[in-house]
Amino acid sequence: MKKILIIGGGPAGATAARFLAENFDVTLIQDKDWDKPCGGGVKSKIFHQFDIPTDTIKHILNTVIIEYKNKKTKIDLQGQNLAIVLRDEFDKTLRNLAEKNGAKLIYGNFKGFEEEKAVIKINNEKILFDYDILIAADGVNSSVRKTLNLAGVPKIITHYARIEEYPVKTCEFFFDRKLGGDYYAWAFPHVNKTHIGGSVGETFDALCEYLNIKVKPKGYFIPTWQENITIQKENIYFVGDAAGQVMPLSFEGIYYAMHSAKILADAIKNNSDYKNEWDKRFLKEFKLMKKLEKAMKKPFLRDLMIKAQNIKKIQSLSVNMWLGKTIL
Ligand SMILES: Cc1cc2nc3c(=O)[nH]c(=O)nc-3n(C[C@H](O)[C@H](O)[C@H](O)COP(=O)(O)OP(=O)(O)OC[C@H]3O[C@@H](n4cnc5c(N)ncnc54)[C@H](O)[C@@H]3O)c2cc1C
């Protein structure tokens, strides 16, 4: 039976392991149990699509708020809904599902290649793992990419913090450039805390002042998707953040990491071309969102696009593009 070694047990790696374990000998390497810095917002339909236990949902939201030029607009999600998860629990649940399907989960750290094998450090011991296929699902700073001397994933740095001082009932998005920079800033409800994020620098300071909070944020990278990034090199495949598969403009990564992992698993099972299959499913959508992301950097277009959200028909179209029927 073919041996598949997967580096990284986040949403992408755990999902690939889960589906590939149905047909192959799969080993999933995860460096540690960690609570990835994240808003934890995910389209609620993922729970049904991937049959994930719903006790990992901490909030289910049917409205969100966008704030722009001192005006709050409540966006009705029209039953499409957004779920909030805690990443440590959610990721562990996905790894459990992979184990239930037969994947072997090993806690260890990928360190490179030797003698055409992967070097994994487990409790200070260096162990060589043989594989027929290796999947790099090791996130935005992918050490597999670095080891292979491939160009890194294009990325931006974002500030992030977990706070108690600004409780929110639903997701709030701040679109003023002075608060969110070229993109947007956000505050999401969690368990007894609010998670906030935004651009690094003056805009984050302005956000804190606006929310009347004092925090010491940390910076984390998030991929900016590029069409022609390498996602396969011979028998080594990249998926999720390690392939830059984060939706432009919305910066959602969990949903796309999991769907991309399923596309990859199916391509390996069916002996079809991963990039072709991914392009068939997502390329149009990602390209459109990239264009909108670019447009949002122009003050005039940003103004037009955000104000248009007050028009019911346009709001409905945007919600459908984001969460609903016009995509997957
Ligand atoms: C501040 C912030 C907020 C975000 N908010 C949201 C949000 O609200 N909604 C959303 O959809 N997306 C959000 N994202 C993006 C989202 O977190 C990622 O796109 C998503 O986690 C990608 O999943 P992944 O499995 O590809 O990578 P990761 O989740 O990064 O998983 C990679 C895994 O590999 C492991 N690993 C790394 N290196 C090694 C190694 N050498 N050996 C073994 N294991 C290794 C890591 O421990 C990790 O578990 C946010 C990102 C940031 C930075």
Side-chain angles (χ1 to χ4, degrees):
M1 198 191 266
K2 260 191 189 163
K3 282 186 189 158
I4 301 188
L5 184 65
I6 302 177
I7 311 297
T15 304
R18 175 181 174 187
F19 292 108
L20 287 165
E22 291 165 355
N23 302 62
F24 304 104
D25 175 0
V26 172
T27 303
L28 176 62
I29 306 289
Q30 167 62 17
D31 53 1
K32 54 185 182 258
D33 274 332
W34 87 307
D35 195 4
K36 183 176 157 95
C38 185
V42 62
K43 303 180 210 298
S44 59
K45 62 184 176 183
I46 197 101
F47 288 85
H48 169 68
Q49 289 173 333
F50 284 82
D51 200 11
I52 304 165
T54 48
D55 57 1
T56 51
I57 299 178
K58 299 305 153 196
H59 300 282
I60 193 95
L61 308 172
N62 46 31
T63 57
V64 296
I65 289 172
I66 55 177
E67 271 202 57
Y68 184 63
K69 297 200 168 165
N70 294 324
K71 186 172 183 227
K72 288 185 186 216
T73 307
K74 198 191 243 186
I75 309 282
D76 180 357
L77 301 182
Q78 304 161 25
Q80 313 286 358
N81 294 344
L82 189 67
I84 299 289
V85 298
L86 293 174
R87 283 297 301 272
D88 53 350
E89 185 186 42
F90 185 72
D91 291 14
K92 261 186 223 156
T93 302
L94 298 182
R95 291 195 287 271
N96 287 343
L97 290 171
E99 281 186 289
K100 271 193 192 150
N101 268 9
K104 288 180 276 278
L105 172 65
I106 296 178
Y107 283 91
N109 207 322
F110 168 83
K111 288 290 176 192
F113 295 101
E114 260 179 48
E115 301 160 21
E116 297 190 353
K117 295 188 171 104
V119 181
I120 310 293
K121 198 168 170 192
I122 303 171
N123 297 329
N124 283 328
E125 206 184 330
K126 222 174 78 175
I127 299 177
L128 297 188
F129 280 71
D130 201 6
Y131 61 86
D132 298 299
I133 289 174
L134 184 135
I135 294 176
D138 53 344
V140 62
N141 299 313
S142 174
S143 34
V144 177
R145 284 196 98 83
K146 279 181 204 144
T147 311
L148 293 172
N149 287 324
L150 290 174
V153 172
K155 58 198 174 195
I156 50 163
I157 189 160
T158 169
H159 262 161
Y160 167 81
R162 298 171 187 184
I163 58 165
E164 284 167 10
E165 301 91 315
Y166 183 78
V168 288
K169 287 204 163 58
T170 190
C171 293
E172 297 185 3
F173 298 91
F174 305 91
F175 279 99
D176 284 288
R177 286 182 79 94
K178 68 175 196 300
L179 303 180
D182 275 347
Y183 306 99
Y184 63 86
W186 51 273
F188 286 9
H190 270 262
V191 180
N192 304 324
K193 293 223 165 140
T194 301
H195 292 198
I196 64 166
S199 299
V200 167
E202 275 174 21
T203 52
F204 197 82
D205 297 341
L207 177 73
C208 292
E209 200 177 310
Y210 183 74
L211 301 180
N212 200 17
I213 53 167
K214 277 202 171 79
V215 288
K216 271 200 177 154
K218 283 191 176 167
Y220 297 95
F221 287 116
I222 189 159
T224 48
W225 175 77
Q226 297 289 338
E227 186 178 344
N228 286 319
I229 183 173
T230 303
I231 62 170
Q232 181 184 357
K233 191 174 185 229
E234 294 157 12
N235 58 342
I236 299 182
Y237 296 85
F238 297 87
V239 69
D241 276 15
Q245 289 156 339
V246 166
M247 181 55 89
L249 186 61
S250 75
F251 288 99
E252 274 176 281
I254 302 169
Y255 183 86
Y256 297 97
M258 292 175 66
H259 273 286
S260 301
K262 177 77 168 63
I263 292 170
L264 172 58
D266 289 342
I268 292 173
K269 286 181 190 181
N270 301 330
N271 221 358
S272 56
D273 186 86
Y274 167 45
K275 185 165 170 19
N276 274 352
E277 297 300 326
W278 194 92
D279 284 357
K280 264 196 252 163
R281 186 84 159 265
F282 282 132
L283 188 60
K284 252 192 184 163
E285 198 184 315
F286 272 61
K287 278 172 98 168
L288 171 67
M289 291 298 279
K290 196 83 188 170
K291 279 192 184 144
L292 292 176
E293 183 184 279
K294 213 170 156 194
M296 283 282 279
K297 289 182 183 167
K298 299 202 165 96
F300 163 72
L301 291 174
R302 168 178 292 249
D303 202 54
L304 201 72
M305 282 158 72
I306 312 253
K307 284 188 178 153
Q309 297 310 315
N310 292 306
I311 302 164
K312 280 280 165 233
K313 262 195 176 164
I314 293 185
Q315 196 186 106
S316 175
L317 186 75
S318 307
V319 168
N320 259 329
M321 263 181 74
W322 176 27
L323 297 170
K325 297 167 200 137
T326 55
I327 50 174
L328 267 181

